[in-house]
Amino acid sequence: MRKVESSFQQGFTLLELLVVMVIIGLLAGYVGPKYFAQIGKSEVKTARAQIDALGKALDQYRLDAGHYPTTEQGLLALNAAPAGEGRWGGPYLQKAVPLDPWGKPYQYKSPGEHGEYDLISFGKDGQAGGQDESADVVNW
């Protein structure tokens, strides 16, 4: 009997590899921007949720003390009793006051211009105003 040898080679050609790389590049170019846009939206949602939670803690403070913390006392009054505050019943937060999702402190003002207090995150750019991810996130 005769032995039959095969000249079959395994592997990919350079053209096949280039086609696959082009397809992956097109998919990344389409999916990448949509993915990163969702990240920005989630940061805004996180800021809204944190402002809501801080608002509830401030309301609890007001129920105990009869007033909101002053601007000078700030949000730190939710974790430690301010000097001279006899009716403080806190801490009103389980942890320290969080920074906004962009790593900056929330701005607190009492009395506020839009209500009894104003609570603001200036967004991604850290400046008042802005659009999209850089827009202010507020409690009013």
Side-chain angles (χ1 to χ4, degrees), residues 34-56:
K34 294 192 181 293
Y35 173 74
F36 288 111
Q38 293 303 318
I39 291 174
K41 288 180 185 177
S42 67
E43 289 172 333
V44 171
K45 287 181 183 179
T46 300
R48 285 191 182 122
Q50 287 177 334
I51 284 177
D52 184 54
L54 290 171
K56 289 177 182 174

Side-chain angles (χ1 to χ4, degrees), residues 55-73:
K56 289 177 182 174
L58 286 165
D59 290 341
Q60 188 64 43
Y61 180 102
R62 187 180 130 229
L63 286 174
D64 289 348
H67 57 86
Y68 288 107
T70 65
T71 301
E72 292 76 26
Q73 293 169 333

